Amino acid sequence: MTVTIFVPRDAAALALGAEKVANAIAQEIAARGLDAKVVRNGSRGMFWLEPLVEVRTEHKRIAYGPVKAGDVPGLFDAGFLEGGQHALHLGPTHDIPFLRQQTRLTFSRCGVTDPLSLDDYRQYQGLKGLENAIAMTQADIVAQVTDSGLRGRGGAGFPTGIKWKTVMDAAGPQKYIVCNADEGDSATFADRMIMEGDPFVLIEGMIIAGIATGATKGYVYTRSEYPHAIATMTEAVEIARAAGILGPSVMGSAFAFDMEIRSGAGAYVCGEETSLLNSLEGKRGIVRAKPPLPALQGFLGRPTVVNNVISLASVPVIMDRGAAFYRDFGMGRSRGTIPIQIAGNVKYGGLYETAFGLSLGEIVDHIGGGTATGRPVKAVQVGGPLGAYFPRALFDTPFDYEAFAARDGLIGHAGITVFDDSADMLKQARFAMEFCAIESCGKCTPCRIGSTRGVETADKIRQGIEPEKNKALLADLCNTMKFGSLCALGGFTPYPVMSAMNHFPEDFSPAPMVEAAE
Ligand SMILES: Cc1cc2nc3c(=O)[nH]c(=O)nc-3n(C[C@H](O)[C@H](O)[C@H](O)COP(=O)(O)O)c2cc1C
Ligand code: SF4
């Protein structure tokens, strides 16, 4: 029997040497005349173990990692193809605690299958949701997605079914599905992992969205910094088209749907849906005023669904297993699962899909294992660069949209960045303002001017210039930005700034002049 060895093709694994490892394994197989083949899978999302190599023995998959090219001959000597013992031997992949404790619905195939094998995709429940959708009415599909409780995973948490209903009900000669794969938030990589590790699930989700709303054309808008995701998605679209899954008759049905992959130049604001639509139309990525909603006048002025990758990629499992199955996971109004992306100064960084409801402390201390430096955790920023910094005192907050909002925070795209006690929170507050100043599209004054004034004010606090007056001024600026900005870039920058100031007041005392030059 041919033994299968899995070596990830995910960008994180490649950055850690997966290509060299795959080549070394292929050479060793040839040199030793063994009956084995290498399959390039996606990542399992345990980045401290990458490149994570797996061997499929008769019953299980045995993991080894992190593997370097130089380890390969020794692995073969140790009986690697039979799952033999070695210093890098991790046991059965599914038994690794970080993976075993997860509830993988959206990421069920990621790291398991060959991302570009339709046979693999079908073998692991792929296309079942689409088959069901084809047999349903548009209204029933929309009702199923609404009943599942799925909310947008891009940041705002808007109910996906309600958005789809608006587009379904809108009249128009042409409607569009636009997948927001810009993924600009710090500490986030879930979209990239799906595109590189299970691209057909996104394609399937987009086709279902198209059938539900009457859209026949889709676009994935991603960033040029994601070359591997672009290449994998492009190839997957071609494979799906050749197999009749995309095209004038989706899987032999009366529905047509086709799609293209587009890349932007990587401006953070191009992740904002209206700015994204401008960029997709070939215009400058500047925010549009709402109304009109993109659902009514979106891409080229036509009714358009704009959904995040994870929102769309969660639809196939909902359509396959049913709304009740998905809704059963989670807490409160946060239903289903969420792929939490754990990053920053943390021991076990990676992707952890779980039902909503774990506390922040469980995620950081138990799953993430605390800081990589071994120093105490000081703060955790949840939700990307516009998210609040939470101190240890708020570690009992459950991972739930409403619970975070009640504490002036947000879940956003579910990226969390961990900081140890060496972090300087005044510096982080200044950074938030500086980030906003650099990334502002310039359309409205509170954001364009306010962010620059914010940087100056933070510098004055640092320099000890009328600190109390300037702290009050910084809070006042934040208030103006929060309520006066056109979009969430200016409107949410106050969250990291104010949370840093409120939770870590000791860091907002003046320091010697020498630090001001940093
Ligand atoms: C400055 C800014 C950047 C954003 N970046 C992203 C992004 O990278 N990806 C994303 O899906 N949503 C992003 N959003 C949210 C989108 O505007 C929009 O809410 C989302 O694409 C809707 O999809 P969903 O309902 O599936 O979440 C951003 C919003 C703002 C204000
Ligand atoms: S808040 Fe900033 S990014 Fe958003 S529209 Fe105004 S200037 Fe543009």
Side-chain angles (χ1 to χ4, degrees), residues 151-158 160 163 180-185 191 223 268-274 276 290 306-309 311-312 386 413 487-489:
R151 291 165 71 178
R153 303 290 190 238
F158 187 80
T160 307
K163 190 181 282 186
N180 189 342
D182 197 52
E183 198 161 58
D185 280 0
D191 297 353
R223 50 182 50 231
Y268 182 69
V269 78
C270 284
E272 191 283 332
E273 56 185 5
T274 62
L276 182 156
K290 288 192 271 193
V306 183
N307 267 146
N308 173 254
V309 172
S311 315
L312 290 161
L386 310 177
H413 189 43
C487 86
L489 179 45

Side-chain angles (χ1 to χ4, degrees), residues 44-120:
R44 299 274 194 165
M46 299 179 284
F47 293 153
W48 75 98
L49 294 176
E50 292 288 7
L52 180 88
V53 175
E54 292 175 76
V55 178
R56 185 159 61 203
T57 62
E58 217 171 321
H59 303 295
K60 330 184 143 95
R61 282 162 68 150
I62 306 293
Y64 296 82
V67 178
K68 299 261 167 288
D71 298 323
V72 170
L75 281 167
F76 278 88
D77 291 343
F80 164 64
L81 294 192
E82 293 84 44
Q85 285 302 325
H86 184 274
L88 300 177
H89 181 271
L90 299 165
T93 318
H94 279 292
D95 290 344
I96 299 173
F98 190 90
L99 203 55
R100 194 183 60 229
Q101 290 155 11
Q102 296 188 40
T103 303
R104 286 208 163 192
L105 304 184
T106 308
F107 281 77
S108 64
R109 275 173 301 264
C110 195
V112 176
T113 55
D114 172 349
L116 291 172
S117 162
L118 261 181
D119 288 343
D120 270 14

Side-chain angles (χ1 to χ4, degrees), residues 155-445:
F158 187 80
T160 307
I162 294 179
K163 190 181 282 186
W164 287 20
K165 185 172 183 337
T166 310
V167 178
M168 178 184 76
D169 290 342
Q174 176 69 54
K175 301 180 192 177
Y176 296 101
I177 307 298
V178 172
C179 171
N180 189 342
D182 197 52
E183 198 161 58
D185 280 0
S186 40
T188 62
F189 39 81
D191 297 353
R192 182 186 60 67
M193 275 181 65
I194 280 289
M195 291 190 285
E196 294 176 2
D198 193 14
F200 294 125
V201 78
L202 177 56
I203 295 172
E204 185 179 349
M206 288 181 70
I207 301 173
I208 296 170
I211 293 174
T213 57
T216 53
K217 183 83 206 227
Y219 294 92
V220 175
Y221 180 93
T222 188
R223 50 182 50 231
S224 56
E225 291 100 323
Y226 275 5
H228 302 286
I230 294 169
T232 310
M233 281 305 304
T234 305
E235 211 176 324
V237 165
E238 282 162 13
I239 293 168
R241 205 178 279 140
I245 296 165
L246 287 169
S249 166
V250 169
M251 293 178 77
S253 73
F255 299 104
F257 192 82
D258 214 332
M259 55 188 280
E260 288 176 34
I261 315 301
R262 296 284 177 88
S263 75
Y268 182 69
V269 78
C270 284
E272 191 283 332
E273 56 185 5
T274 62
S275 183
L276 182 156
L277 291 170
N278 274 336
S279 173
L280 198 59
E281 290 177 12
K283 298 174 186 151
R284 187 179 145 199
I286 195 164
V287 173
R288 297 177 187 171
K290 288 192 271 193
L293 290 172
L296 298 173
Q297 287 178 44
F299 183 57
L300 302 173
R302 306 292 194 204
T304 304
V305 168
V306 183
N307 267 146
N308 173 254
V309 172
I310 303 303
S311 315
L312 290 161
S314 300
V315 168
V317 70
I318 293 169
M319 297 306 296
D320 176 23
R321 312 282 300 264
F325 167 80
Y326 192 78
R327 196 182 50 223
D328 260 5
F329 296 95
M331 68 172 281
R333 290 178 47 222
S334 305
R335 310 309 316 171
T337 59
I338 176 94
I340 300 170
Q341 298 132 85
I342 308 169
N345 184 347
V346 69
K347 204 163 170 194
Y348 304 124
L351 183 130
Y352 193 93
E353 182 178 352
T354 184
F356 283 96
L358 282 185
S359 74
L360 184 58
E362 282 174 276
I363 298 164
V364 174
D365 292 333
H366 299 136
I367 299 164
T371 63
T373 49
R375 299 176 67 101
V377 175
K378 175 170 180 175
V380 181
Q381 188 178 30
V382 184
L386 310 177
Y389 288 98
F390 274 30
R392 257 199 180 277
L394 298 182
F395 271 20
D396 61 343
T397 314
F399 219 75
D400 160 78
Y401 292 107
E402 280 65 42
F404 266 73
R407 290 179 163 181
D408 284 333
L410 54 112
I411 283 183
H413 189 43
I416 73 173
T417 311
V418 180
F419 293 81
D420 75 10
D421 61 351
S422 64
D424 172 347
M425 301 312 290
L426 172 54
K427 197 168 162 187
Q428 292 307 121
R430 183 193 189 278
F431 171 71
M433 284 292 190
E434 188 186 28
F435 178 81
C436 182
I438 292 169
E439 297 292 339
S440 170
C441 84
K443 182 147 176 164
C444 67
T445 320

